[in-house]
């Protein structure tokens, strides 16, 4: 008789690796053979996790179609046995998996669609924070603005895409035919965050993306204005920087600020 | 640890995100909600906000799916810490999980896997339940699962095992009527033997659910309405255990809330018929 520990290891190998050793411990029922009965667990494992992936990567599923998605799910499930208590975490390696797998990597939009879906899901139940209000910012004396250092909303995630994956995702989300995949002439910066209870994303121009990345790294507003001036010209630089900042406040992607010493 | 048996809550439903708006807008005829613990072990956003609102309006119980009480791998302290933190937020009437294991060596198979009913497994589970109860500072409620296989090494019936766990570890039981029906069909025992074999004073909750029939066996899918055979076992369970907090458990193919409230009304009417309206009202 196997110990409980050996029995559980053998049962798990039977599910994950198709090893039949466990069948010696199982009885046939009056109506069915043990292999078919154990098969219920084998099938349920793959079916349940494929369903988790389909729920978490809805637009990737729509893009690949049922057969393509089933093929992807099968290889992902084999490559990444679940190691977290929550099924919600099971698909967290999908973008890297699609990037690393030789077959899927030929279609770079797949990993990018997946990374957008993952970021939106992560933002959905990420940490809460009150968004920074314009009124609070307006209380700061003009001479102190150069010292402002901003704190992003804790759900904010920056992505950079090489393809039109964001456009494809949006079309799929609207249930319309996605555009053909194309490589972009310049990388596309994307900001994902949650406003109130809704996850959002926004395409950022190159200058705005540069300013966002510097801002969340702790660069003071005075320096941000100088960097904007260097990036695409001094004329109107302060105005451009102030406009980006106002947009971020309006869309709730900042949580707070502090004054540099 | 409190010795008092948790109260009879009446007739409840599993909280599902599809129904958030309907619940908050419509105040449906539901006495209490059961929440899946793992779904709310998140940092923020809509899930926790909705949970807080539901907790303000309804009694809530927490139901986990990954405690893995029978696993031979060490208890996951990080999980237990998060479970305890969620309980501090929810203030649940009780916390339940399943009498099963979900994986070993850090793997989670996301399934409720069967235990051989041996003395060794019994000692192991009783010890683990005691550890979890000490950690949580409260009694745990354990649910019998549906199973598709039996082990040659089993030394007792499932109901003897379940009862021994409850008595020795001093925990509560969640009697899943559908799981008893499914396992009875799959393994050829009598659902009535099972329910008659479980100690009355340990059962604090019933689950009632649907399943999928595959001719030679039944799979516990929770994606169908409750069938007549399961209602019959429910009727017998109410007669045997008396007023027990009852819940319709639907996890897939989730219908509009009204449909589940109708099923819940059916459970109410069976309980009223079996126990008599005055006894049911007195329990509430």
């Amino acid at each position: 008789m196997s110990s409980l520990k050996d029995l559980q290891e053998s049962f798990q190998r039977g599910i994950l690796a198709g090893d039949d050793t466990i069948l010696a411990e199982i009885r046939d029922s009056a109506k069915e053979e043990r292999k078919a009965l154990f098969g219920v667990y084998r099938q349920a494992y793959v079916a349940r996790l494929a369903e988790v992936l389909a729920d978490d990567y809805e637009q990737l599923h729509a893009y690949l179609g049922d057969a393509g998605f089933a093929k992807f799910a099968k290889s992902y499930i084999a490559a990444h046995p679940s190691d977290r208590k929550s099924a919600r975490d099971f698909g967290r390696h999908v973008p890297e998996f699609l990037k690393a797998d030789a077959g899927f990597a030929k279609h770079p939009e797949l990993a990018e669609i997946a990374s957008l879906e993952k970021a939106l899901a992560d933002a959905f139940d990420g940490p809460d924070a009150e968004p920074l209000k314009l009124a609070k910012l307006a209380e700061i004396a003009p001479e102190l603005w150069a010292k402002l250092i901003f704190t992003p909303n804790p759900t904010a995630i920056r992505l950079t895409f090489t393809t039109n994956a964001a456009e494809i995702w949006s079309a799929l989300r609207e249930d319309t035919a996605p555009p053909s995949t194309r490589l972009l002439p310049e990388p596309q910066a994307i900001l994902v965050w949650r406003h109130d209870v809704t996850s959002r994303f926004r395409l950022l121009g190159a200058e705005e993306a540069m300013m966002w990345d510097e801002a969340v790294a702790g660069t003071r507003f005075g320096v941000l204005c100088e960097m904007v001036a260097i990036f695409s010209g001094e004329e109107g630089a302060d105005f451009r920087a102030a406009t980006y900042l106002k947009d971020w406040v309006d869309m709730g992607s900042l949580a707070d600020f502090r004054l540099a010493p | 640890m409190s010795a008092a048996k948790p109260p009879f809550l009446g007739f409840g439903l599993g909280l599902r995100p599809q129904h958030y708006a309907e619940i908050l807008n419509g105040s449906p005829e539901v006495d209490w909600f059961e929440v899946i613990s793992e779904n709310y072990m998140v940092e923020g956003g809509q899930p926790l906000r909705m949970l807080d609102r539901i907790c303000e309006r309804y009694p809530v119980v927490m139901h986990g799916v990954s405690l893995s009480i029978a696993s031979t791998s060490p208890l996951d302290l990080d999980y237990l810490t998060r479970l305890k933190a969620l309980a501090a937020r929810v203030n649940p009437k009780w916390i339940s999980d399943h009498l099963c294991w979900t994986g070993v060596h850090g793997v989670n198979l996301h399934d409720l896997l069967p235990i051989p009913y041996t003395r060794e497994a019994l000692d192991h589970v009783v010890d683990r339940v005691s550890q979890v109860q000490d950690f949580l500072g409260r009694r745990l409620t354990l649910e019998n699962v549906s199973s598709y296989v039996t082990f040659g090494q089993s030394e007792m019936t499932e109901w003897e095992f379940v009862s021994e766990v409850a008595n020795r570890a001093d925990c509560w039981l969640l009697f899943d009527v559908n799981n008893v029906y499914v396992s009875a069909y799959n393994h050829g025992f009598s659902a009535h033997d099972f329910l008659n074999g479980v100690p009355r004073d340990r059962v604090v909750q019933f689950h009632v659910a649907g399943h999928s029939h595959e001719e030679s066996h039944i799979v516990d899918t929770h994606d169908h309405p409750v069938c007549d055979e399961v209602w019959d076992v429910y009727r017998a369970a109410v007669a045997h255990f008396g007023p027990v907090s009852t819940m319709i458990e639907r996890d897939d193919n989730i219908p509009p809330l009204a449909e589940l409230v109708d099923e819940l009304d059916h459970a109410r009417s069976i309980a009223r018929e079996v126990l008599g309206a005055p006894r049911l009202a007195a329990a509430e």
Side-chain angles (χ1 to χ4, degrees):
Chain A
M1 175 172 119
S2 304
S3 67
L4 183 61
K5 184 170 176 291
D6 290 344
L7 182 134
Q8 290 183 344
E9 284 170 359
S10 174
F11 201 103
Q12 180 161 301
R13 273 199 313 277
I15 291 175
L16 291 179
D19 178 344
D20 277 345
T21 313
I22 186 64
L23 298 182
E25 300 282 348
I26 294 172
R27 293 189 190 127
D28 292 331
S29 79
K31 306 170 205 115
E32 191 60 273
E33 288 182 1
R34 64 191 86 178
K35 188 159 185 168
L37 293 169
F38 185 70
V40 176
Y41 293 102
R42 283 182 167 145
Q43 287 147 21
Y45 174 70
V46 176
R48 186 168 292 119
L49 290 180
E51 200 179 318
V52 167
L53 292 173
D55 285 347
D56 291 352
Y57 292 95
E58 206 181 334
Q59 307 316 334
L60 182 68
H61 183 192
Y63 187 68
L64 286 171
D66 287 343
F69 192 82
K71 191 175 156 221
F72 145 73
K74 193 176 167 198
S75 39
Y76 180 80
I77 291 164
H80 290 280
S82 181
D83 59 359
R84 294 280 181 92
K85 291 288 188 186
S86 173
R88 183 221 174 287
D89 294 329
F90 173 62
R92 69 191 186 283
H93 304 296
V94 166
E96 297 86 60
F97 173 80
L98 291 169
K99 219 179 277 177
D101 180 274
F104 294 117
K106 286 181 198 150
H107 307 278
E109 76 278 16
L110 297 177
E112 293 185 350
I113 293 170
S115 66
L116 181 56
E117 299 208 86
K118 180 178 182 296
L120 290 165
D122 289 344
F124 177 73
D125 54 16
D128 291 320
E130 279 296 314
L132 173 60
K133 299 279 193 316
L134 212 52
K136 189 179 171 194
L137 210 48
E139 288 168 9
I140 301 298
E143 64 274 19
L144 293 177
W145 270 64
K147 290 185 167 188
L148 287 174
I149 295 176
F150 300 99
T151 310
N153 182 300
T155 63
I157 300 163
R158 263 276 284 111
L159 302 170
T160 303
F161 284 0
T162 60
T163 73
N164 60 335
E167 204 188 336
I168 294 172
W169 184 91
S170 298
L172 293 166
R173 173 69 187 257
E174 296 299 318
D175 228 356
T176 55
S180 313
T181 308
R182 57 191 170 83
L183 285 173
L184 303 172
E186 297 290 336
Q188 172 66 61
I190 293 171
L191 179 64
V192 179
W193 78 104
R194 187 180 76 235
H195 186 243
D196 196 21
V197 294
T198 310
S199 298
R200 295 164 188 264
F201 77 90
R202 179 171 187 248
L203 307 184
L204 305 180
E207 185 179 69
E208 184 180 4
M210 178 281 297
M211 180 168 144
W212 172 269
D213 293 343
E214 288 294 336
V216 302
T219 303
R220 288 179 288 147
F221 187 63
V223 177
L224 293 177
C225 292
E226 283 178 47
M227 295 182 86
V228 166
I230 293 165
F231 198 88
S232 37
E234 284 196 11
E235 200 183 321
D238 287 358
F239 176 74
R240 294 201 302 279
T243 305
Y244 296 140
L245 180 62
K246 183 175 179 302
D247 284 350
W248 301 343
V249 172
D250 286 346
M251 66 193 198
S253 63
L254 292 177
D256 208 352
F257 63 80
R258 61 191 160 91
L259 287 171
Chain B
M1 219 174 287
S2 155
K5 191 174 179 181
F8 171 63
L9 300 178
F11 298 83
L13 286 179
L15 180 65
R16 304 292 177 255
Q18 292 88 333
H19 299 143
Y20 283 157
E22 273 184 280
I23 294 165
L24 295 176
N25 288 334
S27 305
E29 283 285 308
V30 178
D31 299 330
W32 54 278
F33 282 98
E34 179 191 86
V35 302
I36 304 291
S37 307
E38 287 79 0
N39 290 355
Y40 299 93
M41 290 180 177
V42 294
E43 292 177 279
Q46 194 199 35
L48 288 176
R49 205 185 287 189
M50 287 297 171
L51 178 65
D52 289 344
R53 299 234 171 116
I54 300 286
C55 290
E56 282 165 15
R57 297 168 198 211
Y58 294 91
V60 167
V61 306
M62 280 166 49
H63 184 55
V65 293
S66 50
L67 176 61
S68 203
I69 197 73
S71 171
T72 49
S73 285
L75 282 166
D76 185 334
L77 279 183
D78 174 57
Y79 173 78
L80 287 174
T81 304
R82 288 188 292 147
L83 188 67
K84 195 172 180 176
L86 186 66
R89 182 178 190 130
V90 168
N91 192 21
K93 298 294 179 190
W94 56 83
I95 299 176
S96 65
D97 205 298
H98 301 81
L99 188 46
C100 73
W101 60 289
T102 61
V104 286
H105 301 306
V107 170
N108 187 352
L109 296 166
H110 298 283
D111 204 345
L112 309 171
L113 303 171
I115 311 169
Y117 305 124
T118 60
R119 291 274 143 208
E120 182 205 5
L122 183 62
D123 291 345
H124 178 68
V125 171
V126 166
D127 179 52
R128 302 249 295 187
V129 175
S130 300
Q131 286 183 53
V132 170
Q133 293 188 143
D134 286 346
F135 184 88
L136 296 176
R138 63 195 301 158
R139 282 208 180 100
L140 194 60
T141 299
L142 286 177
E143 173 183 348
N144 58 293
V145 299
S146 287
S147 62
Y148 313 106
V149 299
T150 53
F151 297 102
Q153 58 175 267
S154 285
E155 299 160 342
M156 61 192 97
T157 61
E158 184 182 356
W159 54 95
E160 285 165 344
F161 188 87
V162 169
S163 305
E164 279 282 296
V165 168
N167 289 332
R168 281 180 50 191
D170 192 14
C171 65
W172 305 122
L173 294 174
L174 192 174
F175 187 92
D176 188 309
V177 175
N178 178 61
N179 290 349
V180 169
Y181 177 80
V182 168
S183 294
Y185 182 92
N186 289 345
H187 309 314
F189 61 73
S190 152
H192 297 272
D193 285 348
F194 193 127
L195 73 89
N196 287 320
V198 170
R200 279 195 180 88
D201 57 344
R202 292 283 170 190
V203 176
V204 298
Q205 185 183 346
F206 288 150
H207 269 171
V208 188
H211 54 244
S212 300
H213 215 296
E214 307 284 336
E215 294 302 325
S216 71
H217 59 280
I218 299 178
V219 183
D220 178 37
T221 45
H222 296 183
D223 59 352
H224 285 75
V226 180
C227 67
D228 289 345
E229 292 83 352
V230 171
W231 284 126
D232 288 344
V233 182
Y234 175 66
R235 187 181 295 275
V238 173
H240 181 71
F241 294 106
V244 170
S245 305
T246 296
M247 192 196 100
I248 305 290
E249 190 182 36
R250 183 66 84 88
D251 293 318
D252 218 340
N253 203 7
I254 294 175
L257 186 65
E259 223 169 281
L260 295 178
V261 172
D262 282 349
E263 274 197 300
L264 200 55
D265 281 342
H266 191 57
R268 271 195 187 99
S269 64
I270 290 175
R272 210 177 292 125
E273 234 175 87
V274 173
L275 300 171
R279 190 172 166 205
L280 197 60
E284 279 174 309

